Amino acid sequence: MSAHQRGTELDLSWISKVQVNQPAVLRRAEQIQARRPVKKEWQVAWLLKAVTFIDLTTLSGDDTSSNIQRLCYKAKYPIREDLLKALNMHGKGITTAAVCVYPARVCDAVRALKAAGCDIPVASVATGFPAGQTHLKTRLEEIRLAVEDGATEIDVVINRTLVLTGQWEALYDEIRQFRKACGEAHLKTILATGELGSLTNVYKASMIAMMAGSDFIKTSTGKETVNATFPVAIVMLRAIRDFFWKTGNKIYHHVTGRYAAYHDLPMS
């Protein structure tokens, strides 16, 4: 990715007009899932490409420096060497997109990747992950500390209360402060879509996050009861498309699975 996007002024008139047609989105999701998947060598190519979009992640209470070392080794060598040779992909530099850890483990990840001789970025969750309910001052300091320790991408989580109560200006202001605290690090805003109440709220939260300067918008923390779904992904991608048409800024989409996440292609 290039330098982060700066965002735009808050446009509440745009937000107030939004109303997502849920039945239409659900029908579209069914159509997409019914499509025939790619086959044979094309399937292998797409799977290899998907590996390069993964943020290899550990967010466990029992993380240790040795766990982080093993994770970083796996990030550098995500596919067995014999398989890569069989596919004629040996030496092509296939790694994961990033390693993602808690702020307290950023130093361990930076150190392990440096020792491994690779430049895979280190991402770190912040802002009271996964609930986002800690004091704003604490959340901002958490971002700054992670960046100081070497994280080049910060995964923030929004305060869902602001969405559920329609406090769009307050949400915009918080994310703008997150953007400033990130400095030159990329900002990925986690929406926790399973806790936003409606697809309309998903669209609005997506748009606010992009206006506020997010480089990525992400479905979920992986800790909610409901995480990524096809309908949610469609709504977020359409918000990305609309934002690009209006501003010319390309934002990236990030989907959280059970154990890892991948970067989707930018809408253009």
Side-chain angles (χ1 to χ4, degrees):
M1 278 188 64
S2 59
H4 58 72
Q5 71 112 1
R6 300 291 177 177
T8 66
E9 295 295 323
L10 177 62
D11 185 353
L12 288 177
S13 64
W14 188 354
I15 299 301
S16 65
K17 297 173 184 176
V18 172
Q19 187 63 49
V20 174
N21 185 335
Q22 181 169 327
V25 172
L26 296 179
R27 286 195 300 270
R28 182 59 174 157
E30 290 176 357
Q31 292 170 356
I32 292 173
Q33 293 178 81
R35 288 179 177 175
R36 293 178 61 187
V38 292
K39 300 292 185 180
K40 298 182 180 179
E41 67 272 13
W42 293 107
Q43 187 176 50
V44 172
W46 276 108
L47 288 172
L48 287 175
K49 188 67 173 177
V51 168
T52 68
F53 292 149
I54 288 173
D55 280 7
L56 199 59
T57 302
T58 180
L59 299 171
S60 300
D62 58 355
D63 284 339
T64 64
S65 59
S66 58
N67 288 351
I68 303 302
Q69 279 186 315
R70 288 193 293 271
L71 187 79
C72 291
Y73 182 86
K74 184 66 175 177
K76 185 177 181 180
Y77 302 106
I79 307 294
R80 281 180 10 214
E81 188 173 349
D82 60 319
L83 292 178
L84 290 175
K85 287 182 177 179
L87 296 168
N88 197 29
M89 293 298 292
H90 179 65
K92 300 295 185 181
I94 293 179
T95 69
T96 64
V99 168
C100 184
V101 295
Y102 275 120
R105 301 263 72 93
V106 169
C107 284
D108 292 332
V110 170
R111 191 180 305 114
L113 290 168
K114 183 177 180 179
C118 62
D119 57 359
I120 298 172
V122 174
S124 184
V125 298
T127 64
F129 180 95
Q133 293 287 349
T134 53
H135 194 284
L136 179 59
K137 184 177 180 180
T138 303
R139 286 181 280 158
L140 292 170
E141 186 64 14
E142 194 173 32
I143 294 173
R144 296 187 189 102
L145 290 172
V147 172
E148 286 177 8
D149 285 344
T152 57
E153 179 181 290
I154 300 297
D155 292 18
V156 304
V157 59
I158 66 170
N159 181 345
R160 277 74 100 186
T161 299
L162 299 179
V163 175
L164 296 172
T165 56
Q167 298 182 66
W168 304 114
E169 187 171 359
L171 179 61
Y172 175 86
D173 289 341
E174 281 202 358
I175 299 174
R176 290 295 284 181
Q177 292 184 67
F178 297 159
R179 167 73 277 163
K180 183 177 181 180
C182 283
E184 293 306 309
H186 288 112
L187 171 63
K188 184 189 299 169
T189 300
I190 305 172
L191 303 180
T193 54
E195 296 180 350
L196 297 189
S198 70
L199 292 178
T200 296
N201 277 347
V202 169
Y203 184 99
K204 290 181 177 182
S206 299
M207 196 60 66
I208 292 291
M210 291 185 288
M211 289 178 182
S214 301
D215 300 296
F216 294 83
I217 53 173
K218 182 176 178 179
T219 56
S220 49
T221 67
K223 306 291 187 180
E224 293 89 48
T225 302
V226 178
N227 294 294
T229 66
F230 268 95
V232 158
I234 289 171
V235 170
M236 291 175 68
L237 286 170
R238 287 179 176 172
I240 289 171
R241 178 198 62 189
D242 294 346
F243 188 74
F244 173 74
W245 284 350
K246 186 176 179 68
T247 69
N249 294 341
K250 289 185 178 182
I251 310 300
Y252 292 71
H253 182 234
H254 195 103
V255 178
T256 302
R258 178 60 183 87
Y259 295 106
Y262 69 87
H263 294 270
D264 205 344
L265 297 175
M267 295 292 285
S268 60

